[in-house]
Amino acid sequence: MDVVLANDANCSALAETRLGVVQQQFPDARVVFVIILGTGVGGGLVVNGHVIEGFHGITGEWGHNYLSEAEGYRCFCGKKGCNESILVGLALERYYAQHSGQKLDL
Ligand SMILES: [Zn+2]
């Protein structure tokens, strides 16, 4: 049996394009970008029905792009202000607790 491994965000983008919400609601879409928010931040890009992986295979990955130093915590990559340090579940919980005074699980 052949086994194929691929990046989860790319698989998600391709699945939504061919079988999911994009196919159902935007069947003529030529460019699809799927965002994954969870314990990390990721994304997958599909153009004209094909996953765009890029030279290094990380085209859709935007977790360590700079967003803001005003919010967020030091990222595991060592920088501050990465999308991932602001938008992941734990960071959103911290932000909500700071601003509301209540701790809630996302
Ligand atoms: Zn980072």
Side-chain angles (χ1 to χ4, degrees), residues 10-24 26-27 29-34 45-50:
N10 290 346
C11 291
S12 178
L14 192 59
E16 291 298 340
T17 300
R18 293 185 180 177
L19 307 168
V21 69
V22 176
Q23 184 56 238
Q24 295 166 4
F26 308 101
R30 295 179 56 218
V31 178
V32 176
F33 182 62
V34 169
L45 178 65
V46 172
V47 177
N48 293 326
H50 300 282

Side-chain angles (χ1 to χ4, degrees), residues 63-65 73-85:
H64 300 286
N65 290 16
Y73 300 88
R74 185 159 304 283
C75 184
F76 74 85
C77 75
K79 297 178 185 172
K80 191 167 184 201
C82 293
N83 289 321
E84 191 152 308
S85 67

